[in-house]
Amino acid sequence: MRKGIYCLSRPFLLGSGHRARVNQTLNPAKLPITVRSVHSCRALVYRKHGAKSDVIRMEKITLRNVGDTDVRMKMLAAPVNPADINMLQGTYPILPPFPAIGGNEGVGEVVEIGTNVTAFRPGDWVIPVDAGFGTWRTEAVCDECDLIKIPKDIPLLCAATIGVNPCTAYRMLHDFEHLQPGETVIQNGANSAVGQAVIQISAAMGVKTINVIRDRSNRRELVESLRSIGADYVISEESLKSSDMDQIFQRVPRPKLGLNCVGGCSAGDLLTHLDYGGTLVTYGGMAKKPIPLPAKALIFKNIAVRGFWMTQWKRNNKQEVIKLQTMVSGLCGLVRKGTLSAPVCAEVPFQDYRKALDACMQSYQNRKHILLM
């Protein structure tokens, strides 16, 4: 169990600190004894893996006392992401020990700090550093190193969703190719939360985007929505295989970077359009199909094929939290400028959590469901 993330059954302690000590030589009646209030919260707890409707339950749990380096926070909002559902199912690469609390992302407000905490003050907004925090709850007590501070002058929904998808987009746009203004990125799944962040961050960098979406009944509405946040081209997967691409490449250079969250033939089609020496980065596999790798793209165009997982990046840089803080601060700056907005969201009261969990895995879901505590 991670230190202090949650406690389902733990007695409260008397005195300041973690242990009350009685000096046998003194009169116990004259000893100053402070009884700390015992805090509890509501949380979505699961004790086994399986279908979300079978394993997750709303429970009342007891929080441990706030230690010298601890922070007590009340959760304000937490999204429901596909990775959260995969954790419940037991199919995600990292799984917290049982009993576990669902949710990896969200924003909270500090309400109490330990005597040695200097980085936070009551009233600060904070987000978790690592995955597996357990954000689907009303309160939490954790070590100060498990959190970073974010500004309170950005919209709540932006704050709740800043730590995963925009960070994923930011890292992929900066870590694989040195993109310059006027160059091009191509991506599938462009209407996803990561895809929307890629569009907006690229626009702020002066980088053009070619955005691939699956055909659907509301395609025109979706195209206009993506253009409104800065998309240069929005095309269907069918267009990706047609002469439409030749017309696009008469206006913009072939992309140096391709971003794939679908897999299967969609990823293979992205790869064929990359410029010489370009890179295809895979960060998802919604189609659940392998990526075809054309030999001529690898041999004659020297295309590199890479993977990216934001959780692993955070863990690789755990000793340099300043990197995460700098990135998040930069993204919050874009939010302040109006350059980066939250994905389209549906706000769900915490007690109606099943509605959010059911909606998360539906096909053609264009809204991110946010639990409001």
Side-chain angles (χ1 to χ4, degrees), residues 15 25 45 77 80 85 95 103 112 124 130 141 143 148 157 176 178 182 189 200 264 279 341-342 347 355 358 360 363:
T25 63
V45 180
V80 177
I85 306 300
L95 299 172
E112 183 181 355
D124 287 344
D130 202 359
V141 174
D143 193 277
I148 62 171
L157 297 184
F176 296 94
H178 297 290
Q200 296 174 86
T279 303
S341 59
E347 302 177 19
K355 174 183 176 182
D358 290 341
C360 177
S363 299

Side-chain angles (χ1 to χ4, degrees), residues 28 208 318-319:
K208 305 295 183 181
K318 193 170 185 178
Q319 303 306 316

Side-chain angles (χ1 to χ4, degrees), residues 155-173:
L156 178 65
L157 297 184
C158 287
T161 58
I162 200 80
V164 176
N165 294 320
C167 289
T168 298
Y170 182 96
R171 293 260 62 96
M172 291 193 300
L173 290 170

